Amino acid sequence: MQLYSMPSSGNSLKVRILLALTGKPVQIIDCDYGSAALAQAKADGVLPYGKVPALVLDDGQLLAESNAILWYLGEDSAFVPADAVTRAQMLGWMFWEQYNHEPVIAVRQALVSYPHRVADATPERLADLLDRGHALLQVMEDRLAHHDWLAGDMVSLADICLYGYTCTAGSRGGFDMDRFPAVCRWLDRIAAMPGVLDA
C-alpha cells in the first residue's frame, strides 16, 4: 500500500498511527503543502478529493478521507468494538471529530502555523476559535474524567481519530491544556502505545 500523507496534518497522523499499531506494511509518501510531491499526486489522480491523506491499496484502488481510511484499516481488528452499541458510540465520536472538533481545533492550529493562512488569522477569529475549542475539549474532558477511552473500555478508532489534532492542540493551537487533565492523561496513554510517537 501507499499512503499519501502530510507530515503536519492530524488527519494524516491518525492514519499513520493506526498503520503503526496494526503493523500493516505501507510506503509513506510525504506531501507537504506546496510541495512537488503533492502537485505530482494531484496530477497522477491519486487524491480522490484533491487532498491528503489518501491510501492506494495493493490492487490500485483508492481510499480517501481519514476516518474512512481508519475504518478500512481497522476492520476486524481490536480497534473496532465487537458490541454494536459500543461500535456506534465509536462512530459517533468519529463523526463528531470531523463535524465539530476538526473545524475548530485543527483550523486554529492551521491559522497560527501556516504562513499562507496568516491573512485569515484575525484576532477576532482566533479568539472565537479558542473559546469554541475549549468548549469542545471540555466535552472530551467530561467523558475522559470517568473513562479511560472515548467509547467502551478499550482503545478504539475513536481515540486514534481524536488524538490526531488533540495531541497538538496546546503546542500548535495555543489551547490551555492544563484545563483538561483527563484529556492530557488520555493523550499520554495513547502516546505510550508502541509506534505512536514514531508515526
Side-chain angles (χ1 to χ4, degrees), residues 3 15 18 53-55 63-74:
L3 176 68
V15 175
L18 186 58
L55 185 68
L63 295 177
E65 288 298 322
S66 58
N67 289 352
I69 297 171
L70 288 184
W71 180 258
Y72 172 80
L73 294 172

Side-chain angles (χ1 to χ4, degrees), residues 174-196:
F175 294 97
D176 181 6
M177 299 305 291
D178 289 341
R179 294 169 53 174
F180 310 106
V183 172
C184 291
R185 291 192 298 271
W186 168 82
L187 289 171
D188 289 342
R189 282 193 291 277
I190 297 174
M193 298 173 72
V196 169

Side-chain angles (χ1 to χ4, degrees), residues 80-161:
V80 175
D83 174 70
V85 171
T86 308
R87 193 163 59 246
Q89 292 169 340
M90 175 196 77
L91 288 169
W93 279 107
M94 294 174 74
F95 297 149
W96 180 81
E97 185 264 352
Q98 283 291 285
Y99 188 74
N100 293 281
H101 183 280
E102 194 267 355
V104 175
I105 304 291
V107 167
R108 193 173 199 280
Q109 292 183 48
L111 290 176
V112 300
S113 299
Y114 297 135
H116 69 281
R117 299 291 301 272
V118 69
D120 298 322
T122 64
E124 295 79 13
R125 187 170 187 202
L126 290 176
D128 175 63
L129 289 169
L130 188 67
D131 289 343
R132 291 165 58 201
H134 283 146
L136 292 165
L137 291 165
Q138 187 62 51
V139 172
M140 296 176 66
E141 180 73 14
D142 291 344
R143 164 67 188 185
L144 293 166
H146 305 288
H147 303 85
D148 284 346
W149 307 107
L150 291 171
D153 297 325
M154 295 178 60
V155 60
S156 74
L157 296 184
D159 301 287
I160 297 166
C161 169

